[in-house]
Amino acid sequence: MSNIFKIAILPGDGIGPEVMKQAIKVLNKIRHFLNIEIVVKKYLVGGSAIDKYGDALPTKTLLGCEKSNAILFGSVGGPKWDYLPLNKRPEKNSLLKLRKHFNLFINLRPAYIYNNLHMLSPLKNNIINKGFNILCIRELTGGIYFGKPNGRKGNGINEYSFDTEIYYRFEIERIAHMAFNFALQRNKMICCFDKANVLNTSIMWREILKKISYQYSKVKLKFMYIDNAVMQLMKNPSQFDVILCANLFGDIISDQCAMITGSIGNLPSASLNNKFFGLYEPAGGSAPDIAGKNIANPIAQILSLSMMIEYSLNNKHITKKIEKAIEKVLNKGYRTKDLYTNQLNEKIVTTEDMGTLITESIIL
Ligand code: NAD
């Protein structure tokens, strides 16, 4: 790696620019401790780019991302652009294009529950008190969302529609190796959710994962049928470490993982390719209902930056410091509105305040 690390900042729409501002505060505090020169450039994306350039992913933005080492993304979309046809909307026309363009085939969503935020989870106390710390890994560029043929044919009662679930060996092998390596850095367990009692693709996933697991003897590999897995995730999430899924199941399961934490505003995500070029973004959307009110939770955006530092800059040391600072601020009872549960020690703070509190709590 050269000694300059370029970050393309794409704040996007809704709460995107508000929470991104807080992540930039954190970045400005830590940048001189990263042993590499950080260069940051902002670009328009999503609805705000449609307003200015008539395109959700203008050439200038795409070129800027190509010249960068990583993308820090806010969120895109909102009612203002809902009148547009699907293929012109901000989400489809920017985020999905970026994922495809950079071949970001692995999506990582950590889901854990902070000790003092148990109240937010919809799960019962006896389940949540065991805690959980899950890394949900979703295959992002293959499977039924992209398989050909797909479409709609025929007429009358014989009209039919079809989608194709297709996985190539190389697609499964490359994500498997990455998943095993992530598991090695954690509790060394992978559970793959599938439907191998019905689907050919799931059977092939199982065969390939089992074969690759011999190269990672320290990691325990398990499989679970998806229908049982959704129940197990509710009943006892603490049994899981790394969850690995094909695209469709991963899309659903990653949201279930988010829901059991009860705090979408805390959850970051990373989408990577095999060179660890990544797009880092909050798990939630642009939250138009609270945009511009200075009440959005910036933690997901700050943790997205923290994931960038871990995966694209390979600096777990600084990542830990950011995570510790967030925990410290939460332990002191500071909450954005979405995290407030009416407990005695809790104090509601604004987006700006939360960003400043976290930044000031980072001890370098
Ligand atoms: P959303 O995630 O934006 O909002 C769902 C709920 O969660 C809302 O009540 C919102 O206020 C709350 N929320 C989300 N993030 C929060 C935060 N950081 N702090 C506090 N509360 C937060 O989902 P939605 O309402 O279905 O979608 C709104 C828009 O966002 C739509 O246009 C959708 O297409 C778009 N979207 C974009 C992305 C993305 O850019 N990656 C992802 C999902 C949805």
Side-chain angles (χ1 to χ4, degrees):
M1 194 187 285
S2 88
N3 54 357
I4 296 180
F5 188 84
K6 294 183 190 154
I7 305 174
I9 304 255
L10 278 55
D13 310 316
I15 60 167
E18 298 169 53
V19 292
M20 186 65 83
K21 196 174 159 202
Q22 312 314 314
I24 292 171
K25 279 183 194 166
V26 169
L27 179 62
N28 286 336
K29 168 125 184 199
I30 57 162
R31 61 192 302 161
H32 302 297
F33 295 84
L34 290 170
N35 302 324
I36 193 161
E37 188 187 340
I38 301 290
V39 174
V40 166
K41 223 163 170 192
K42 261 193 205 171
Y43 300 95
L44 286 178
V45 74
S48 53
I50 293 177
D51 289 350
K52 177 140 189 207
Y53 298 109
D55 183 357
L57 187 65
T59 311
K60 196 174 166 189
T61 302
L62 187 60
L63 287 176
C65 292
E66 280 177 353
K67 286 187 201 139
S68 302
N69 301 96
I71 303 168
L72 189 61
F73 196 91
S75 47
V76 291
K80 186 175 176 195
W81 304 280
D82 279 352
Y83 72 93
L84 290 166
L86 254 189
N87 63 348
K88 295 263 182 235
R89 294 236 184 116
E91 299 87 319
K92 193 151 187 180
N93 235 5
S94 61
L95 192 56
L96 298 195
K97 270 191 182 168
L98 282 169
R99 284 178 184 163
K100 203 163 177 199
H101 185 79
F102 291 103
N103 198 18
L104 306 174
F105 64 84
I106 182 167
N107 179 254
L108 309 174
R109 278 234 213 145
Y112 45 84
I113 185 102
Y114 289 95
N115 273 336
N116 43 19
L117 295 184
H118 283 191
M119 296 279 290
L120 292 170
S121 172
L123 298 181
K124 285 184 177 160
N125 280 346
N126 62 327
I127 298 172
I128 212 67
N129 285 345
K130 290 190 208 158
F132 62 84
N133 185 340
I134 294 170
L135 178 63
C136 184
I137 300 185
R138 166 187 171 194
E139 201 289 328
L140 204 56
T141 53
I144 200 163
Y145 292 170
F146 300 97
K148 294 278 180 327
N150 63 357
R152 204 162 158 160
K153 285 190 176 165
N155 296 301
I157 59 159
N158 289 321
E159 185 181 10
Y160 63 99
S161 49
F162 51 99
D163 299 286
T164 303
E165 166 87 350
I166 179 166
Y167 268 109
Y168 289 91
R169 178 171 287 276
F170 78 90
E171 291 178 307
I172 305 170
E173 285 180 352
R174 66 183 178 185
I175 197 167
H177 283 291
M178 285 176 91
F180 276 103
N181 279 305
F182 287 125
L184 277 175
Q185 293 156 39
R186 298 171 48 94
N187 286 333
K188 303 181 180 57
M189 290 191 292
I190 296 181
C191 189
C192 178
F193 294 179
D194 65 18
K195 195 72 188 166
N197 47 350
V198 179
L199 299 175
N200 285 305
T201 42
S202 292
I203 293 169
M204 188 165 154
W205 271 74
R206 282 199 181 201
E207 282 171 15
I208 293 172
L209 284 172
K210 276 185 198 160
K211 197 165 168 208
I212 288 177
S213 71
Y214 296 125
Q215 297 171 45
Y216 300 89
S217 56
K218 288 191 178 141
V219 178
K220 195 167 166 213
L221 174 65
K222 266 179 53 174
F223 297 94
M224 207 175 262
Y225 296 138
I226 187 78
D227 35 352
N228 177 29
V230 290
M231 295 193 289
Q232 292 297 327
L233 204 48
M234 301 291 280
K235 194 175 158 203
N236 181 15
S238 69
Q239 69 184 288
F240 298 110
D241 177 26
V242 172
I243 290 173
L244 176 60
C245 296
N247 202 347
L248 171 62
F249 294 153
D251 192 0
I252 298 161
I253 287 297
S254 56
D255 274 8
Q256 194 187 350
C257 286
M259 192 61 241
I260 56 175
T261 71
S263 51
I264 187 84
N266 280 354
L267 298 178
S269 79
S271 303
L272 309 172
N273 64 21
N274 55 353
K275 295 186 180 111
F276 276 72
F277 177 91
L279 181 150
Y280 300 85
E281 58 168 334
S286 59
D289 53 330
I290 56 167
K293 296 183 177 161
N294 196 19
I295 57 172
N297 180 354
I299 292 179
Q301 190 74 63
I302 292 171
L303 284 173
S304 302
L305 170 71
S306 168
M307 284 185 91
M308 174 189 288
I309 292 163
E310 177 171 1
Y311 296 119
S312 287
L313 276 168
N314 203 14
N315 192 332
K316 184 92 186 150
H317 177 68
I318 297 289
T319 298
K320 282 255 169 278
K321 297 210 174 249
I322 298 172
E323 288 169 0
K324 264 218 164 91
I326 292 172
E327 244 178 275
K328 211 188 290 174
V329 170
L330 292 174
N331 283 341
K332 285 185 182 161
Y334 294 110
R335 305 275 187 270
T336 41
K337 208 173 161 207
D338 56 308
L339 301 179
Y340 185 68
T341 59
N342 213 2
Q343 303 296 297
L344 262 182
N345 72 329
E346 290 186 338
K347 299 167 270 277
I348 294 190
V349 294
T350 62
T351 309
E352 283 281 351
D353 289 344
M354 187 56 112
T356 304
L357 283 161
I358 293 170
T359 307
E360 286 172 353
S361 301
I362 300 172
I363 299 169
L364 294 157

